Amino acid sequence: GAVVSQHPSRVICKSGTSVKIECRSLDFQATTMFWYRQFPKQSLMLMATSNEGSKATYEQGVEKDKFLINHASLTLSTLTVTSAHPEDSSFYICSARDDITGGGEKLFFGSGTQLSVL
Amino acid sequence: ILNVEQSPQSLHVQEGDSTNFTCSFPSSNFYALHWYRWETAKSPEALFVMTLNGDEKKKGRISATLNTKEGYSYLYIKGSQPEDSATYLCAFPAYSGAGSYQLTFGKGTKLSVIP
């Protein structure tokens, strides 16, 4: 089955540093990838849609200058949390659809990144 | 903002018991309804994508039904096993006015199967 690899799985950093999270589709092409964030006891909330070769689409309330998304190839999207602060501490997870099969629109997920900003 | 609700929030069952939980979603502009299973420290995995009213899908001991007119789906697990312990998420896809695809997730039902 389709596999999405996400790294790192856990990051602890100091306030003010930037953190990059990678999301790779290992055995399929993904023109579109999705970045979600989950706070404790809340649902997965879509932050942005990452589009290969073009600008990401951000959801309302998500700062594009804070959460930089780059989707430079059909298998790799990165999310950079710039100048992270404690309120950015959260669980971040990426997902993708298979361009070829569509997969019935189901998403394939990475395993997530737990970000803790001190 | 679309409202996708799941109940119960958590559930503890004995091994061998059958169980079910609910997902409610908007009944208008329906495209599909997704179910995912999310085991601790793993990636969420798609169980079912349901599109037709009255549809029933089955995967081993797990099955799901769909009522698009009233906006709910049930997930059933027959003879629960410890390996069924996970959080079960439902998600409602929609397309924005700009044509972008978005999945709205419920908070999930956390199932714990006690051996």
Side-chain angles (χ1 to χ4, degrees):
Chain A
V3 176
V4 174
S5 175
Q6 183 174 343
H7 293 283
S9 59
R10 182 177 292 273
V11 179
I12 301 173
C13 68
K14 291 182 179 179
S15 185
T17 59
S18 293
V19 176
K20 181 187 279 190
I21 303 170
E22 288 192 353
C23 180
R24 291 180 187 271
S25 56
L26 296 187
D27 47 4
F28 66 99
Q29 292 182 349
T31 303
T32 304
M33 292 187 178
F34 304 92
W35 288 96
Y36 287 84
R37 178 169 56 182
Q38 185 181 39
F39 292 106
K41 298 191 184 299
Q42 299 299 311
S43 56
L44 292 171
M45 294 296 293
L46 181 66
M47 297 176 66
T49 301
S50 170
N51 303 297
E52 186 268 337
S54 64
K55 291 182 180 180
T57 305
Y58 291 81
E59 295 304 303
Q60 194 172 9
V62 178
E63 299 174 55
K64 59 180 70 175
D65 294 331
K66 175 76 171 175
F67 299 99
L68 298 179
I69 290 174
N70 184 281
H71 194 150
S73 78
L74 287 171
T75 59
L76 174 64
S77 175
T78 60
L79 169 68
T80 301
V81 184
T82 61
S83 187
H85 290 283
E87 58 266 29
D88 299 322
S89 297
S90 186
F91 183 80
Y92 295 85
I93 190 166
C94 68
S95 64
R97 280 191 293 174
D98 186 328
D99 281 352
I100 304 299
T101 68
E105 296 194 340
K106 66 184 176 185
L107 297 186
F108 301 98
F109 282 85
S111 54
T113 299
Q114 184 65 52
L115 172 63
S116 300
V117 186
L118 304 177
Chain B
I1 297 176
L2 298 174
N3 201 24
V4 179
E5 300 283 343
Q6 290 188 249
S7 63
Q9 197 171 8
S10 65
L11 196 53
H12 291 77
V13 300
Q14 292 287 334
E15 182 177 353
D17 287 351
S18 294
T19 187
N20 65 85
F21 24 94
T22 308
C23 172
S24 64
F25 52 86
S27 55
S28 58
N29 297 317
F30 178 84
Y31 294 104
L33 193 281
H34 297 203
W35 280 101
Y36 292 85
R37 174 170 57 199
W38 194 358
E39 295 179 67
T40 303
K42 294 186 178 180
S43 306
E45 178 190 353
L47 285 172
F48 305 114
V49 175
M50 308 184 75
T51 56
L52 298 175
N53 184 41
D55 201 8
E56 180 172 345
K57 295 211 172 184
K58 194 173 180 182
K59 187 176 185 179
R61 293 177 292 97
I62 302 177
S63 61
T65 60
L66 179 68
N67 184 323
T68 60
K69 293 183 179 178
E70 295 183 39
Y72 65 83
S73 175
Y74 292 132
L75 190 81
Y76 299 90
I77 301 179
K78 186 177 178 183
S80 303
Q81 299 296 308
E83 57 266 30
D84 297 328
S85 296
T87 296
Y88 291 82
L89 301 172
C90 70
F92 184 78
Y95 288 87
S96 71
S100 63
Y101 174 85
Q102 176 176 139
L103 268 187
T104 299
F105 283 86
K107 291 184 181 180
T109 293
K110 185 174 182 180
L111 174 67
S112 299
V113 182
I114 304 162

